[in-house]
C-alpha cells in the first residue's frame, strides 16, 4: 500500500493505473473506459475522487469525454514521443504539436558552484553562478523540473530578465551566446519528496534525471542543468542520423 494518505492521493493512483493501461496498449485509441460507476467500484473510490483522476488524464490529452448519445470517455493516444538529441529540447517539440507549455519560476539565486557544477561550467570551485529552477507544465500538467546554472560572465544580468520563456532564445538574442551543442546523461531514478510534490507524483513513480551541459559555438559551457522528467508523460527517443557520404 502507498504511504501517502489514501483519501488525498487515491486519485493519483487511479490516474497512474489508467495511464499505464493506455501506454501499455491494453487500452487503445478509440476504446471507451468503463462507466464511472464501474471504475468507482473497481478502485473503491468516490465519484469525486474518480473524476479528479479523469481530469488529470484529460489534461494530459489521453482521454476525451463526450456527452449525449454515443457519449462516454474515449482513449485518445499514448504519451507523445520527443527526441532528446534535438537542440531545442522537449517542450518546443510538444508546442509544435499543439500542446500548451507554461513555465513557473521556483528559484532564482546567486550561489557558489559545487565541484560538479564548476567542473561542468569550467569555472573555479565555489565561483558564483546563477541558479534558476523552473517547473514546466504541458497542457496544465507538471511534467519537468529544470534546475539550471549559468556562469555570471555569460549572462551578467540574467536574473533581471523574464525567465518564463525560452532561455536559449534569451542567451542567443541578449547575450550573443547561442547554444550549439550539448552533452546529456540520463539516469532512471525516484524523485525526492519535494520533486514529488511539485510534479504531483506518488513516491514510487519513476522519473528520468537528466544532467545536461550546453555549449556555445566556441565550446564554451553556458549552462549546466539537472532536469527531472516525468517519464509517464513523454516517451524519449534518440535519433541517429547517417554519416555524411565521403
Amino acid at each position: 500500500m502507498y504511504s501517502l494518505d489514501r483519501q488525498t492521493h487515491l486519485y493519483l493512483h487511479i490516474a497512474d493505473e489508467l495511464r499505464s493501461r493506455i501506454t501499455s496498449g491494453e487500452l487503445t485509441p478509440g476504446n471507451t473506459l468503463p462507466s464511472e460507476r464501474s471504475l468507482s467500484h473497481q478502485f473503491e473510490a468516490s465519484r469525486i475522487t474518480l473524476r479528479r483522476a479523469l481530469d488529470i488524464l484529460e489534461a494530459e490529452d489521453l482521454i476525451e469525454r463526450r456527452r449525449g448519445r454515443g457519449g462516454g470517455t474515449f482513449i485518445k493516444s499514448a504519451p507523445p514521443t520527443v527526441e532528446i538529441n534535438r537542440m531545442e529540447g522537449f517542450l518546443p517539440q510538444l508546442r509544435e504539436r499543439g500542446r500548451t507549455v507554461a513555465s513557473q519560476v521556483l528559484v532564482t539565486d546567486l550561489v557558489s558552484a559545487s565541484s560538479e557544477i564548476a567542473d561542468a561550467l569550467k569555472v573555479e570551485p565555489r565561483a558564483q553562478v546563477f541558479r534558476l529552477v523552473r517547473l514546466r507544465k504541458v497542457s496544465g500538467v507538471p511534467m519537468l523540473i529544470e534546475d539550471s546554472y549559468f556562469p555570471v560572465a555569460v549572462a551578467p544580468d540574467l536574473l533581471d530578465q523574464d525567465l518564463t520563456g525560452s532561455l536559449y532564445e534569451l542567451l542567443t538574442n541578449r547575450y550573443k551566446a547561442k547554444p550549439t551543442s550539448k552533452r546529456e546523461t540520463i539516469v532512471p531514478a525516484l524523485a525526492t519528496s519535494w520533486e514529488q510534490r511539485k510534479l504531483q507524483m506518488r513516491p514510487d513513480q519513476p522519473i528520468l534525471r537528466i544532467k545536461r551541459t550546453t555549449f556555445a559555438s566556441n565550446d564554451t559551457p553556458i549552462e549546466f542543468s539537472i532536469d527531472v522528467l516525468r517519464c509517464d508523460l513523454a516517451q524519449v527517443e534518440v535519433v541517429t542520423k547517417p554519416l555524411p557520404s565521403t
Side-chain angles (χ1 to χ4, degrees):
M1 297 300 291
Y2 302 111
S3 59
L4 295 178
D5 180 75
R6 179 179 174 82
Q7 294 300 317
T8 304
H9 296 279
L10 178 57
Y11 74 95
L12 293 177
H13 164 61
I14 296 172
D16 186 53
E17 174 62 26
L18 293 175
R19 186 188 302 109
S20 177
R21 295 179 189 179
I22 294 170
T23 56
S24 69
E26 180 181 341
L27 296 170
T28 57
N31 285 356
T32 58
L33 284 177
S35 67
E36 288 188 1
R37 175 180 296 180
S38 175
L39 289 172
S40 294
H41 178 74
Q42 176 183 340
F43 289 106
E44 300 180 355
S46 67
R47 291 281 188 92
I48 293 175
T49 298
L50 176 65
R51 286 168 184 164
R52 291 185 71 185
L54 295 179
D55 286 343
I56 291 175
L57 298 181
E58 187 173 37
E60 294 172 4
D61 207 28
L62 292 177
I63 63 171
E64 177 184 4
R65 287 149 153 169
R66 301 176 192 169
R67 300 184 182 278
R69 180 176 296 180
T73 303
F74 293 82
I75 309 303
K76 292 187 68 176
S77 63
T81 298
V82 290
E83 294 180 31
I84 194 169
N85 48 336
R86 281 179 56 174
M87 194 62 223
E88 68 270 31
F90 300 141
L91 300 182
Q93 297 179 53
L94 296 175
R95 191 181 288 114
E96 289 173 1
R97 301 172 195 178
R99 305 295 179 94
T100 301
V101 177
S103 298
Q104 178 185 354
V105 177
L106 302 179
V107 177
T108 58
D109 204 357
L110 182 66
V111 300
S112 297
S114 67
S115 57
E116 179 182 30
I117 295 168
D119 183 60
L121 294 178
K122 296 183 181 178
V123 298
E124 293 295 324
R126 312 296 297 172
Q128 297 289 284
V129 294
F130 290 128
R131 183 189 183 199
L132 171 62
V133 183
R134 301 193 299 175
L135 176 65
R136 311 300 295 273
K137 298 181 180 181
V138 178
S139 301
V141 179
M143 178 178 177
L144 179 72
I145 296 174
E146 297 176 334
D147 189 352
S148 301
Y149 300 83
F150 303 87
V152 172
V154 169
D157 60 349
L158 177 68
L159 301 189
D160 295 328
Q161 307 306 312
D162 178 3
L163 301 174
T164 59
S166 169
L167 295 180
Y168 285 5
E169 289 182 6
L170 181 63
L171 289 169
T172 299
N173 297 332
R174 181 172 180 83
Y175 302 108
K176 311 305 178 186
K178 181 179 180 179
T180 58
S181 64
K182 59 183 179 178
R183 181 174 62 243
E184 293 177 304
T185 303
I186 306 172
V187 179
L190 292 176
T192 66
S193 58
W194 180 82
E195 292 164 347
Q196 291 164 19
R197 291 195 300 273
K198 292 301 179 183
L199 292 172
Q200 299 179 10
M201 299 172 60
R202 297 195 333 269
D204 59 344
Q205 274 186 271
I207 52 97
L208 292 179
R209 200 172 299 280
I210 305 168
K211 293 186 178 183
R212 179 181 64 256
T213 305
T214 305
F215 302 88
S217 57
N218 56 359
D219 290 331
T220 299
I222 56 177
E223 178 204 26
F224 175 69
S225 183
I226 304 174
D227 297 348
V228 178
L229 174 69
R230 280 186 59 171
C231 48
D232 59 320
L233 299 185
Q235 301 181 60
V236 176
E237 179 180 57
V238 178
V239 178
T240 303
K241 297 181 179 179
L243 293 172
S245 57
T246 56

